[in-house]
Amino acid sequence: MSTSAPVAEHDPPSSATRPTPPRRGRLGNRLTAGRAVPMVPAFLLLAGFMLGPIVYSVYLAFTDKAIRGEGAEQTEFVGFSNFTDAFADADFWNSVVLTVIFTVISALLGQNIMGMLLALLIERAHRVITFTVTAIVIAAWILPEVVAGYLLYTFFSPDGSLNAIITAIGLPPQQLLFSAPIFAVSFANIWRGTAFSMLVYSAALSSVPSDVYESAALDGAGPLRRFTSVTLPLLRPAIATNLMLTTLQTLSVFGLIFIMTGGGPARQSQTLPLYTYEQAFSYGQLGYGTAVALLLLLIGAVASMAYLRLLPEEDKR
Amino acid sequence: MAPGPFSRPSLDRRSFLRLSAGVATVVPLAALAGCAGANADPGVIRIAFQQFGSGTVKEQWITDAAAEFSAENPELTVELVPIVASEGDYFTKNELLMSSPRTSPDLVYEDSFILLSDVGAGYLRPMTELATGYEHWGDVADASKVAVTGEDGEIYGMPITTDTRAIWFHRGVLEEAGLPGDWQPSTWEDILDAARAIRDSDSDATPFFMFCGTPQGEKASMQGFEMLLYGTSAEGWLYDRETRKWIIGSTGFIDSLTFVRTIFEEDLTLPLAQHLDPNISETIYNTLLPEKKLGMLIDGSWISRTWAESAARPWPEWPDVMGLADMPTQDGGGNGTVTLAGGWGLSIPEYVTDKEIAFRFLETLVSTENLVDYAIADNHITVRDDVAADERYQGYSPAVDYFTRILKTAYYRPALPAYPQVSSAIQVAMEAVMTGDSPESAAAAYDATVIDIVGRESVQEAGA
């Protein structure tokens, strides 16, 4: 861009009599277009492998496409009936409610608050403690979802670590995977996902200038007051971003729940991704399954818009 | 003015984006078009089969047959397409493969339970002439022939294996509860009484187990629920073959759910947590039975393969320890006993490259010699008289005679396109009563689901 400015400055005076083509802008465009060339392969890959399937799944959601049975041989356009069928299905609403519970417990409350607490604690802690805590939390995060699922499954299983701990202190053994499966899988998701929130908040906290806290302290603000009146307002963009990302990640959690409970018992932990899987692959109803997946997308979009409203005006630009 | 480089019409951003969009649309389409028919190599026969866990019996059988076939036909090669998946996922993956000419194998290993669904989907090609012309077609059991025949009367598969089900019991556990070594219940109540006796005895074994609930998949429907249901009045079974309608509002259905409810309510079975563990069968075969921790189990003919010398849990004493009893009907009526049969076969997909060549390889796979080897390695019940007549087959397992004999009175599932969904609905109903619902409300929910699946015009009230 800097090269275009001198060119504009040396324009001949005749430009006053007839309109001059906006050279500066054109050069800028030309350079931008030139710079975009290396992006072409990425753009093509995105179009082929992301946009294509998305468009195809939108199409599928309006058909009766099936994997097996008669619906597989002839696919017909069915309009909105997949969506109206979903709204009339009690199992769908069960999944919506469970998805909301799962997201609120594990993302909004669990990961968010735990991440904030850990970030605040390790900020002031000794280097060794910071390193150890960070290493442990991140280890849970980088584990593949399936491995984390199996770990937590064994943790909650009848002769797993949880029961070893609680029976050691004299409490009766629990079978949370069966008595309160949605809480068990929410706990697992908090365990696994807290690292992300912790990293986001650690980064945000380190960018808060220390003199702000010093002035607040001079004005007589205690630790709690400094947190509510200084830290929280300054962290608002980070909180909104973190909430949005963890919500979107949590809405689509599949492997963890599938491994731990399979959505059961009796659908008590069947969130929308598991319901979609059951309909599309166990029952072979691809059209209906993709319609439900689109509804899940819609829920994610609504949540994102809500969080965007949380952001201060200047951060939206 | 107007220095050359700047006045020349250039590619502005908008044109660039238009061009990119155009290219982006066309390139993938061209690429896809290029894929079409890429698989159509007439010299290669691709065969898809399920590969699960550490078992390699199927792979070995196909590999041996492929070597034999390629030696006779040097111009042809066989490519194995193992589908690594559990049973439920195998069907889906196989169907997705068969649905496109670009990915379709030339032969597929098909469960009789899903066969007619795949026929309905147009994935399979009829092979009536080839099959009936095959030298051992006459040796195939009649019931198995029916199982591979579509509603259009065409044959869609070559039956290979079957299986039957009964009550396996641990003699030691039953003796401790004061029950005879040749125990044979004649009603459901006899089973429950034996289970109560084990529960109240000094034995620390769990009295009874049958597969229940969605994590167990088709096992729960077939050798759990339907082993009960087919012992109730015939008017209340799943499907009326004469009127071609699914049955709802059946007392037999509620009674079967009540049986399930009873074993949980009276602590006659494993804890709910273990029932809902998808890996419970491994625990039963490898630990609970050999270690005398389970009294009775409704299960299939093949389970003793787990105890073979070369298997995961060798248990040479099992023929003396384990007894077998026929599954009785509800009150001893009807035939008096119940067993369900299923089984697998080979089918030719619609998008086969060359049907004749595929069938030639199929013939090698199902030669008497190869099937005897496969039956012994896989511990299954044969559907073919020529295989059953082989001495090696007859002596391969102490239980093979028993399970081959009860095949004569076996029931088959209504393996229609809607069956997989109906089966899921059965598992959901079982799980509902296991977790506290009443049998009546679970049965009502099942009825509503069946109407949803097949439409009101395709159901009828029991006894109607």
Side-chain angles (χ1 to χ4, degrees), chain B residues 99-111:
Chain B
S99 67
S100 163
R102 290 193 303 279
T103 52
S104 179
D106 299 301
L107 279 174
V108 290
Y109 200 64
E110 282 265 315
D111 192 336

mmCIF file with all atom_site columns, all heavy atoms in Angstrom, chain B residues 99-111:
data_model
loop_
_atom_site.group_PDB
_atom_site.id
_atom_site.type_symbol
_atom_site.label_atom_id
_atom_site.label_alt_id
_atom_site.label_comp_id
_atom_site.label_asym_id
_atom_site.label_entity_id
_atom_site.label_seq_id
_atom_site.pdbx_PDB_ins_code
_atom_site.Cartn_x
_atom_site.Cartn_y
_atom_site.Cartn_z
_atom_site.occupancy
_atom_site.B_iso_or_equiv
_atom_site.pdbx_formal_charge
_atom_site.auth_seq_id
_atom_site.auth_comp_id
_atom_site.auth_asym_id
_atom_site.auth_atom_id
_atom_site.pdbx_PDB_model_num
ATOM 1   N N   . SER B 1 99  ? -23.792 -48.287 -2.268 1.00 0.00 ? 99  SER B N   1
ATOM 2   C CA  . SER B 1 99  ? -24.710 -47.321 -2.874 1.00 0.00 ? 99  SER B CA  1
ATOM 3   C C   . SER B 1 99  ? -24.101 -46.588 -4.060 1.00 0.00 ? 99  SER B C   1
ATOM 4   O O   . SER B 1 99  ? -24.808 -45.899 -4.775 1.00 0.00 ? 99  SER B O   1
ATOM 5   C CB  . SER B 1 99  ? -25.183 -46.314 -1.821 1.00 0.00 ? 99  SER B CB  1
ATOM 6   O OG  . SER B 1 99  ? -24.085 -45.528 -1.425 1.00 0.00 ? 99  SER B OG  1
ATOM 7   N N   . SER B 1 100 ? -22.795 -46.728 -4.266 1.00 0.00 ? 100 SER B N   1
ATOM 8   C CA  . SER B 1 100 ? -22.188 -45.991 -5.374 1.00 0.00 ? 100 SER B CA  1
ATOM 9   C C   . SER B 1 100 ? -21.374 -46.934 -6.255 1.00 0.00 ? 100 SER B C   1
ATOM 10  O O   . SER B 1 100 ? -20.644 -47.787 -5.755 1.00 0.00 ? 100 SER B O   1
ATOM 11  C CB  . SER B 1 100 ? -21.270 -44.902 -4.811 1.00 0.00 ? 100 SER B CB  1
ATOM 12  O OG  . SER B 1 100 ? -20.395 -44.464 -5.824 1.00 0.00 ? 100 SER B OG  1
ATOM 13  N N   . PRO B 1 101 ? -21.475 -46.769 -7.580 1.00 0.00 ? 101 PRO B N   1
ATOM 14  C CA  . PRO B 1 101 ? -20.681 -47.617 -8.474 1.00 0.00 ? 101 PRO B CA  1
ATOM 15  C C   . PRO B 1 101 ? -19.185 -47.403 -8.279 1.00 0.00 ? 101 PRO B C   1
ATOM 16  O O   . PRO B 1 101 ? -18.380 -48.266 -8.618 1.00 0.00 ? 101 PRO B O   1
ATOM 17  C CB  . PRO B 1 101 ? -21.101 -47.167 -9.875 1.00 0.00 ? 101 PRO B CB  1
ATOM 18  C CG  . PRO B 1 101 ? -22.024 -46.039 -9.718 1.00 0.00 ? 101 PRO B CG  1
ATOM 19  C CD  . PRO B 1 101 ? -22.319 -45.813 -8.276 1.00 0.00 ? 101 PRO B CD  1
ATOM 20  N N   . ARG B 1 102 ? -18.805 -46.242 -7.743 1.00 0.00 ? 102 ARG B N   1
ATOM 21  C CA  . ARG B 1 102 ? -17.380 -45.957 -7.570 1.00 0.00 ? 102 ARG B CA  1
ATOM 22  C C   . ARG B 1 102 ? -16.774 -46.773 -6.442 1.00 0.00 ? 102 ARG B C   1
ATOM 23  O O   . ARG B 1 102 ? -15.588 -47.035 -6.433 1.00 0.00 ? 102 ARG B O   1
ATOM 24  C CB  . ARG B 1 102 ? -17.173 -44.468 -7.263 1.00 0.00 ? 102 ARG B CB  1
ATOM 25  C CG  . ARG B 1 102 ? -17.444 -43.565 -8.427 1.00 0.00 ? 102 ARG B CG  1
ATOM 26  C CD  . ARG B 1 102 ? -16.936 -42.180 -8.153 1.00 0.00 ? 102 ARG B CD  1
ATOM 27  N NE  . ARG B 1 102 ? -17.511 -41.599 -6.950 1.00 0.00 ? 102 ARG B NE  1
ATOM 28  C CZ  . ARG B 1 102 ? -18.712 -41.038 -6.903 1.00 0.00 ? 102 ARG B CZ  1
ATOM 29  N NH1 . ARG B 1 102 ? -19.449 -40.975 -7.984 1.00 0.00 ? 102 ARG B NH1 1
ATOM 30  N NH2 . ARG B 1 102 ? -19.176 -40.539 -5.780 1.00 0.00 ? 102 ARG B NH2 1
ATOM 31  N N   . THR B 1 103 ? -17.592 -47.149 -5.452 1.00 0.00 ? 103 THR B N   1
ATOM 32  C CA  . THR B 1 103 ? -17.026 -47.821 -4.290 1.00 0.00 ? 103 THR B CA  1
ATOM 33  C C   . THR B 1 103 ? -17.554 -49.233 -4.109 1.00 0.00 ? 103 THR B C   1
ATOM 34  O O   . THR B 1 103 ? -17.078 -49.951 -3.242 1.00 0.00 ? 103 THR B O   1
ATOM 35  C CB  . THR B 1 103 ? -17.376 -47.029 -3.010 1.00 0.00 ? 103 THR B CB  1
ATOM 36  O OG1 . THR B 1 103 ? -18.786 -46.814 -2.998 1.00 0.00 ? 103 THR B OG1 1
ATOM 37  C CG2 . THR B 1 103 ? -16.656 -45.700 -2.980 1.00 0.00 ? 103 THR B CG2 1
ATOM 38  N N   . SER B 1 104 ? -18.512 -49.645 -4.899 1.00 0.00 ? 104 SER B N   1
ATOM 39  C CA  . SER B 1 104 ? -19.183 -50.918 -4.641 1.00 0.00 ? 104 SER B CA  1
ATOM 40  C C   . SER B 1 104 ? -18.232 -52.111 -4.780 1.00 0.00 ? 104 SER B C   1
ATOM 41  O O   . SER B 1 104 ? -17.498 -52.220 -5.753 1.00 0.00 ? 104 SER B O   1
ATOM 42  C CB  . SER B 1 104 ? -20.351 -51.086 -5.615 1.00 0.00 ? 104 SER B CB  1
ATOM 43  O OG  . SER B 1 104 ? -20.966 -52.319 -5.360 1.00 0.00 ? 104 SER B OG  1
ATOM 44  N N   . PRO B 1 105 ? -18.272 -53.032 -3.792 1.00 0.00 ? 105 PRO B N   1
ATOM 45  C CA  . PRO B 1 105 ? -17.524 -54.281 -3.946 1.00 0.00 ? 105 PRO B CA  1
ATOM 46  C C   . PRO B 1 105 ? -18.258 -55.194 -4.938 1.00 0.00 ? 105 PRO B C   1
ATOM 47  O O   . PRO B 1 105 ? -19.344 -54.850 -5.424 1.00 0.00 ? 105 PRO B O   1
ATOM 48  C CB  . PRO B 1 105 ? -17.550 -54.889 -2.541 1.00 0.00 ? 105 PRO B CB  1
ATOM 49  C CG  . PRO B 1 105 ? -18.242 -53.907 -1.662 1.00 0.00 ? 105 PRO B CG  1
ATOM 50  C CD  . PRO B 1 105 ? -18.996 -52.973 -2.530 1.00 0.00 ? 105 PRO B CD  1
ATOM 51  N N   . ASP B 1 106 ? -17.661 -56.365 -5.219 1.00 0.00 ? 106 ASP B N   1
ATOM 52  C CA  . ASP B 1 106 ? -18.305 -57.310 -6.134 1.00 0.00 ? 106 ASP B CA  1
ATOM 53  C C   . ASP B 1 106 ? -19.031 -58.419 -5.383 1.00 0.00 ? 106 ASP B C   1
ATOM 54  O O   . ASP B 1 106 ? -19.904 -59.091 -5.928 1.00 0.00 ? 106 ASP B O   1
ATOM 55  C CB  . ASP B 1 106 ? -17.253 -57.903 -7.070 1.00 0.00 ? 106 ASP B CB  1
ATOM 56  C CG  . ASP B 1 106 ? -16.590 -56.818 -7.900 1.00 0.00 ? 106 ASP B CG  1
ATOM 57  O OD1 . ASP B 1 106 ? -17.309 -56.123 -8.632 1.00 0.00 ? 106 ASP B OD1 1
ATOM 58  O OD2 . ASP B 1 106 ? -15.367 -56.643 -7.772 1.00 0.00 ? 106 ASP B OD2 1
ATOM 59  N N   . LEU B 1 107 ? -18.627 -58.611 -4.132 1.00 0.00 ? 107 LEU B N   1
ATOM 60  C CA  . LEU B 1 107 ? -19.318 -59.573 -3.268 1.00 0.00 ? 107 LEU B CA  1
ATOM 61  C C   . LEU B 1 107 ? -19.398 -58.962 -1.872 1.00 0.00 ? 107 LEU B C   1
ATOM 62  O O   . LEU B 1 107 ? -18.453 -58.294 -1.443 1.00 0.00 ? 107 LEU B O   1
ATOM 63  C CB  . LEU B 1 107 ? -18.526 -60.878 -3.169 1.00 0.00 ? 107 LEU B CB  1
ATOM 64  C CG  . LEU B 1 107 ? -18.643 -61.900 -4.304 1.00 0.00 ? 107 LEU B CG  1
ATOM 65  C CD1 . LEU B 1 107 ? -17.650 -63.035 -4.057 1.00 0.00 ? 107 LEU B CD1 1
ATOM 66  C CD2 . LEU B 1 107 ? -20.058 -62.453 -4.405 1.00 0.00 ? 107 LEU B CD2 1
ATOM 67  N N   . VAL B 1 108 ? -20.504 -59.190 -1.187 1.00 0.00 ? 108 VAL B N   1
ATOM 68  C CA  . VAL B 1 108 ? -20.604 -58.701 0.191  1.00 0.00 ? 108 VAL B CA  1
ATOM 69  C C   . VAL B 1 108 ? -21.086 -59.817 1.103  1.00 0.00 ? 108 VAL B C   1
ATOM 70  O O   . VAL B 1 108 ? -21.852 -60.693 0.700  1.00 0.00 ? 108 VAL B O   1
ATOM 71  C CB  . VAL B 1 108 ? -21.568 -57.490 0.321  1.00 0.00 ? 108 VAL B CB  1
ATOM 72  C CG1 . VAL B 1 108 ? -20.977 -56.264 -0.334 1.00 0.00 ? 108 VAL B CG1 1
ATOM 73  C CG2 . VAL B 1 108 ? -22.930 -57.802 -0.245 1.00 0.00 ? 108 VAL B CG2 1
ATOM 74  N N   . TYR B 1 109 ? -20.610 -59.733 2.341  1.00 0.00 ? 109 TYR B N   1
ATOM 75  C CA  . TYR B 1 109 ? -21.007 -60.688 3.361  1.00 0.00 ? 109 TYR B CA  1
ATOM 76  C C   . TYR B 1 109 ? -22.212 -60.079 4.067  1.00 0.00 ? 109 TYR B C   1
ATOM 77  O O   . TYR B 1 109 ? -22.106 -59.007 4.653  1.00 0.00 ? 109 TYR B O   1
ATOM 78  C CB  . TYR B 1 109 ? -19.822 -60.864 4.323  1.00 0.00 ? 109 TYR B CB  1
ATOM 79  C CG  . TYR B 1 109 ? -19.863 -62.121 5.132  1.00 0.00 ? 109 TYR B CG  1
ATOM 80  C CD1 . TYR B 1 109 ? -19.775 -63.357 4.521  1.00 0.00 ? 109 TYR B CD1 1
ATOM 81  C CD2 . TYR B 1 109 ? -19.959 -62.072 6.513  1.00 0.00 ? 109 TYR B CD2 1
ATOM 82  C CE1 . TYR B 1 109 ? -19.795 -64.520 5.266  1.00 0.00 ? 109 TYR B CE1 1
ATOM 83  C CE2 . TYR B 1 109 ? -19.979 -63.241 7.265  1.00 0.00 ? 109 TYR B CE2 1
ATOM 84  C CZ  . TYR B 1 109 ? -19.901 -64.456 6.632  1.00 0.00 ? 109 TYR B CZ  1
ATOM 85  O OH  . TYR B 1 109 ? -19.925 -65.613 7.371  1.00 0.00 ? 109 TYR B OH  1
ATOM 86  N N   . GLU B 1 110 ? -23.369 -60.732 3.956  1.00 0.00 ? 110 GLU B N   1
ATOM 87  C CA  . GLU B 1 110 ? -24.616 -60.110 4.407  1.00 0.00 ? 110 GLU B CA  1
ATOM 88  C C   . GLU B 1 110 ? -25.299 -60.920 5.512  1.00 0.00 ? 110 GLU B C   1
ATOM 89  O O   . GLU B 1 110 ? -25.426 -62.136 5.406  1.00 0.00 ? 110 GLU B O   1
ATOM 90  C CB  . GLU B 1 110 ? -25.610 -60.032 3.241  1.00 0.00 ? 110 GLU B CB  1
ATOM 91  C CG  . GLU B 1 110 ? -25.341 -58.909 2.272  1.00 0.00 ? 110 GLU B CG  1
ATOM 92  C CD  . GLU B 1 110 ? -26.158 -57.672 2.590  1.00 0.00 ? 110 GLU B CD  1
ATOM 93  O OE1 . GLU B 1 110 ? -27.369 -57.790 2.858  1.00 0.00 ? 110 GLU B OE1 1
ATOM 94  O OE2 . GLU B 1 110 ? -25.575 -56.584 2.570  1.00 0.00 ? 110 GLU B OE2 1
ATOM 95  N N   . ASP B 1 111 ? -25.776 -60.222 6.517  1.00 0.00 ? 111 ASP B N   1
ATOM 96  C CA  . ASP B 1 111 ? -26.579 -60.848 7.562  1.00 0.00 ? 111 ASP B CA  1
ATOM 97  C C   . ASP B 1 111 ? -28.001 -61.006 7.020  1.00 0.00 ? 111 ASP B C   1
ATOM 98  O O   . ASP B 1 111 ? -28.531 -60.081 6.386  1.00 0.00 ? 111 ASP B O   1
ATOM 99  C CB  . ASP B 1 111 ? -26.585 -59.936 8.798  1.00 0.00 ? 111 ASP B CB  1
ATOM 100 C CG  . ASP B 1 111 ? -27.150 -60.647 10.027 1.00 0.00 ? 111 ASP B CG  1
ATOM 101 O OD1 . ASP B 1 111 ? -27.918 -61.609 9.851  1.00 0.00 ? 111 ASP B OD1 1
ATOM 102 O OD2 . ASP B 1 111 ? -26.826 -60.218 11.139 1.00 0.00 ? 111 ASP B OD2 1
#
